[in-house]
Amino acid sequence: MNYNTCFHLLLGLFIPCSVVCLAMTARNLNSDQFVLLEFKDCIADPQNVLANNWSASTSVCNWIGVSCGIIHKRVIALNLTSMNLRGTIPPHLGNLSFLLSLDLSSNNLSGHLPKELGKLHRLRIIQLSYNRLNGEIPAWLGNLQRVQRLEMGNNIFTGTIPQALVNMSNLEILNLQFNQLSGQVPYSIFKISALKIVSLFSNSLSGSLPNDMCQHLAKLEGLYLSRNELSGNIPSSMGKCNNLQILALSYNQFTGIIPRSIGNLTRLEKLYLGLNNLEGQIPTPIFNISSLKTIFLSNNSLSSSLPNGLCYHCPMLEGLLLEHNELSGNIPSSMGECYQLQILNLAANKFSGLIPKSIFNSTMLQGIYLNDNSLEGNLPPITNAPKLENLLLWRNKLSGNIPNSISNVSMLKELDLSDNLFSGPIPTLGNLRLFNKWYYSCVGVLSLDSAKISMGLWR
């Protein structure tokens, strides 16, 4: 067989194959187009975004919110976020067999998730947050084993979290926050080793957390379980979540002590354990985590003192919120060396001794709440607090004159010095243009606001 014969033979084979492949691509693309046109017909589009853009006369790959693959030209991503779309998600979307990413977040979609979406086995991303979707979280989601991000927060989902989600072995982000979910968090969820973010914030979840929950979560960066009805002890293995940056367990019913192992979380930035039923001492290693920005342990029954080197070991600290506990001892004299500190709330504890002078040298402080303690001595001069808005020191044992330097705190909005032992003249407040409330107690209560000065009882 000579060269020309071979060439024509190969050419004869190639051309039909090319024609067939092109025809199949066109047919598949038309199939995707048909699915999306059906979607458009089923959805209310008040802003006419789809109506003005999705047309059969143009390639589906050029439609707004649609992305196609480079090789096969099939629809691989549908991003229709924040378009005010209304209605229910139609089952036709289950026929976009090459879809990798589905983002319908921040719309007004309602109803149940159609089971046909369970056929989208290539899916990597599901973003349906900020809608009005309801019904139960479907178990068929567990069949989508390639999904890395499942975000369905801020909806109206009810029922329990299905055990089947454990099959989503590639899951990195699980966001079901702000729904109406109940029952126990399946222990199996905490065995998905790929997880980086778990957000179940603000549901009605109950039960306890598995004591070994961090054995399989070496990649976990954020655990958001606040505002639920969780109980039992905080797992002692929490310190094994080595990459944890945010631990949010506040507004629950946790009991027992704060695990000392939390001090091993060297990347931790925000610790929220407030409004539980925790007791015992705050483990000292927590105050050695240099990356910490927020410590929120308020409204528990914690008892201990604060370490003198707190600000040295926590130089990034922005918020220290420990009010309504049973903490005692002196406020650390080095508190003013927390140069990033914005909120200091030690109210309703048993602190005693003097208010450190250094506190009022912190240029970032916006709120100082030391009320309802047993602090004594003079109120130090307020020398450098340009951002201070709230200074609440009521119900202590402070005495002496109120420093005239208060009038230089130009951003001050609320000052409460009532129920103390102050004496002497009231400082001039002419520079405090934003000032709203002033409470000063000597004999009875003198109450001033921006409009008038009046005598009367307060509280």
Side-chain angles (χ1 to χ4, degrees):
M1 187 180 296
N2 60 32
Y3 173 80
N4 288 332
T5 304
C6 288
F7 175 77
H8 286 98
L9 180 60
L10 290 172
L11 187 62
L13 292 172
F14 174 76
I15 292 175
C17 287
S18 299
V19 171
V20 170
C21 290
L22 289 172
M24 289 180 64
T25 299
R27 186 170 69 249
N28 289 331
L29 197 55
N30 286 336
S31 173
D32 289 350
Q33 184 186 69
F34 174 78
V35 169
L36 293 179
L37 289 175
E38 287 286 322
F39 173 85
K40 184 180 76 168
D41 291 341
C42 293
I43 293 292
D45 177 20
Q47 298 174 355
N48 292 320
V49 177
L50 305 185
N52 295 334
N53 187 271
W54 286 17
S55 170
S57 62
T58 59
S59 170
V60 66
C61 296
N62 294 327
W63 291 359
I64 189 170
V66 177
S67 300
C68 293
I70 297 174
I71 299 175
H72 46 66
K73 300 297 183 181
R74 298 293 302 277
V75 174
I76 60 171
L78 186 62
N79 182 357
L80 303 178
T81 183
S82 304
M83 293 187 179
N84 198 27
L85 302 177
R86 300 177 182 180
T88 59
I89 299 175
H92 310 87
L93 288 185
N95 293 323
L96 294 175
S97 55
F98 276 72
L99 200 64
L100 300 178
S101 175
L102 175 63
D103 188 350
L104 303 177
S105 60
S106 300
N107 285 291
N108 286 298
L109 300 172
S110 57
H112 296 194
L113 296 182
K115 63 180 184 301
E116 287 77 8
L117 296 183
K119 298 188 298 182
L120 301 176
H121 295 291
R122 288 184 170 89
L123 268 180
R124 302 291 197 280
I125 298 172
I126 301 175
Q127 291 183 310
L128 302 175
S129 296
Y130 296 96
N131 280 288
R132 293 184 292 114
L133 300 170
N134 54 48
E136 296 190 351
I137 305 288
W140 52 254
L141 283 169
N143 297 329
L144 305 178
Q145 298 180 13
R146 297 182 181 180
V147 169
Q148 297 170 349
R149 299 177 62 175
L150 177 61
E151 302 198 45
M152 304 198 301
N154 298 78
N155 280 287
I156 319 174
F157 288 113
T158 56
T160 60
I161 300 174
Q163 292 274 357
L165 295 191
V166 70
N167 297 323
M168 305 176 80
S169 56
N170 291 297
L171 196 61
E172 296 180 1
I173 298 177
L174 174 62
N175 176 5
L176 301 176
Q177 66 183 23
F178 285 101
N179 279 288
Q180 298 175 16
L181 301 172
S182 58
Q184 187 159 338
V185 182
Y187 283 7
S188 56
I189 295 293
F190 301 113
K191 294 183 180 179
I192 303 176
S193 59
L195 277 171
K196 294 181 179 179
I197 303 291
V198 176
S199 183
L200 306 178
F201 184 91
S202 195
N203 280 283
S204 297
L205 299 167
S206 57
S208 59
L209 299 178
N211 198 43
D212 63 346
M213 64 173 289
C214 282
Q215 296 284 356
H216 308 282
L217 298 177
K219 298 180 181 179
L220 192 66
E221 297 176 1
L223 181 62
Y224 304 85
L225 302 180
S226 295
R227 294 188 182 273
N228 279 286
E229 300 169 13
L230 300 170
S231 58
N233 291 346
I234 297 174
S236 59
S237 66
M238 194 63 72
K240 293 184 179 180
C241 288
N242 297 322
N243 283 298
L244 202 59
Q245 297 174 28
I246 299 176
L247 175 59
L249 304 179
S250 54
Y251 293 89
N252 277 291
Q253 299 168 19
F254 288 110
T255 55
I257 63 172
I258 299 175
R260 188 177 179 84
S261 65
I262 289 179
N264 297 331
L265 302 175
T266 56
R267 299 186 62 191
L268 195 65
E269 295 181 4
K270 298 186 177 183
L271 176 63
Y272 301 105
L273 302 180
L275 288 107
N276 279 289
N277 298 310
L278 301 171
E279 57 187 6
Q281 297 190 348
I282 303 173
T284 303
I286 288 178
F287 296 113
N288 292 331
I289 302 175
S290 60
S291 55
L292 268 176
K293 295 181 179 179
T294 303
I295 301 176
F296 173 49
L297 307 178
S298 304
N299 294 81
N300 282 290
S301 298
L302 300 170
S303 59
S304 59
S305 58
L306 298 181
N308 284 326
L310 187 153
C311 290
Y312 175 77
H313 295 291
C314 298
M316 307 297 293
L317 200 60
E318 297 175 357
L320 182 61
L321 300 98
L322 305 176
E323 76 269 23
H324 289 279
N325 278 289
E326 299 174 11
L327 303 174
S328 59
N330 293 344
I331 298 174
S333 58
S334 62
M335 189 60 71
E337 296 175 15
C338 288
Y339 298 115
Q340 304 300 318
L341 195 63
Q342 299 174 28
I343 301 294
L344 174 62
N345 194 339
L346 305 179
N349 278 288
K350 299 177 181 179
F351 287 107
S352 58
L354 305 178
I355 297 177
K357 294 180 180 180
S358 63
I359 285 181
F360 297 109
N361 291 328
S362 185
T363 58
M364 300 297 290
L365 264 173
Q366 299 174 22
I368 299 176
Y369 307 88
L370 304 179
N371 50 280
D372 206 5
N373 279 288
S374 297
L375 300 170
E376 57 189 8
N378 294 344
L379 177 60
I382 304 177
T383 54
N384 190 18
K387 296 185 178 181
L388 189 62
E389 297 182 3
N390 302 91
L391 178 59
L392 274 62
L393 304 176
W394 54 269
R395 199 174 294 163
N396 278 288
K397 300 176 182 178
L398 300 172
S399 59
N401 289 353
I402 299 173
N404 289 324
S405 56
I406 279 184
S407 62
N408 297 325
V409 188
S410 59
M411 298 300 292
L412 197 62
K413 296 179 180 179
E414 183 175 11
L415 173 64
D416 191 338
L417 305 179
S418 61
D419 294 322
N420 276 290
L421 303 172
F422 288 114
S423 59
I426 298 175
T428 303
L429 303 176
N431 295 332
L432 306 184
R433 288 179 291 178
L434 300 176
F435 200 49
N436 289 325
K437 295 180 180 179
W438 157 273
Y439 301 108
Y440 166 66
S441 175
C442 183
V443 178
V445 177
L446 180 61
S447 176
L448 289 75
D449 60 27
S450 56
K452 62 182 180 180
I453 301 176
S454 61
M455 291 296 293
L457 294 177
W458 183 75
R459 289 193 195 283

